[in-house]
Amino acid sequence: MNENYLERLVAVEQRSKSNTKRLDENDKKDKEQDDRISALSDVYIALTKVNDKIDNLESNMCEIKTDVKEIKSRPEKRYEQIWGYLVGGMITALISFILTYLKMKG
């Protein structure tokens, strides 16, 4: 009977060592997976920050485009004003000439 108990005890010890080894391996794999998850979380946070910066950059670019278009249109507005003054001056001069001519004749 003692031999039977000893054999069983040895089998249980061997199984215990085997289970301990498997548990240690699983713990090691779990730690590796936790490290990977932590790294992925860090990458996600970094990507979120980059995405926010890109959104801000996009809105800034839209503002810059609007400002550039406005600056480009300024000379056109000035030329339009100058032409307006010239045409107005010519019309005024013509009317003055006609009125002066009519006054002299009349």
Side-chain angles (χ1 to χ4, degrees):
M1 263 260 200
N2 278 339
E3 256 183 58
N4 193 15
Y5 286 126
L6 282 177
E7 285 177 14
R8 289 178 124 187
L9 185 61
V10 168
V12 167
E13 278 186 28
Q14 288 177 349
R15 199 173 319 138
S16 172
K17 286 181 184 179
S18 173
N19 288 342
T20 301
K21 183 179 177 183
R22 283 189 305 151
L23 286 173
D24 289 344
E25 288 175 1
N26 283 338
D27 286 344
K28 185 178 177 182
K29 288 179 183 177
D30 286 347
K31 182 170 179 358
E32 288 174 2
Q33 287 179 347
D34 288 344
D35 291 343
R36 287 180 186 155
I37 289 171
S38 177
L40 285 175
S41 177
D42 293 343
V43 169
Y44 176 76
I45 290 170
L47 284 175
T48 303
K49 288 180 181 180
V50 168
N51 190 33
D52 290 342
K53 288 182 179 183
I54 288 174
D55 288 343
N56 288 337
L57 182 64
E58 185 178 347
S59 66
N60 289 341
M61 286 300 292
C62 288
E63 289 176 21
I64 290 171
K65 283 183 177 180
T66 303
D67 291 344
V68 167
K69 286 179 182 178
E70 182 181 323
I71 290 170
K72 281 179 141 181
S73 70
R74 282 184 186 170
E76 292 175 9
K77 288 180 183 177
R78 286 187 188 144
Y79 290 129
E80 288 176 8
Q81 283 180 338
I82 290 171
W83 279 110
Y85 293 142
L86 287 174
V87 170
M90 292 167 95
I91 292 173
T92 304
L94 183 63
I95 291 172
S96 296
F97 177 75
I98 292 172
L99 288 176
T100 306
Y101 182 74
L102 290 177
K103 210 177 205 187
M104 287 183 159
K105 265 197 159 186

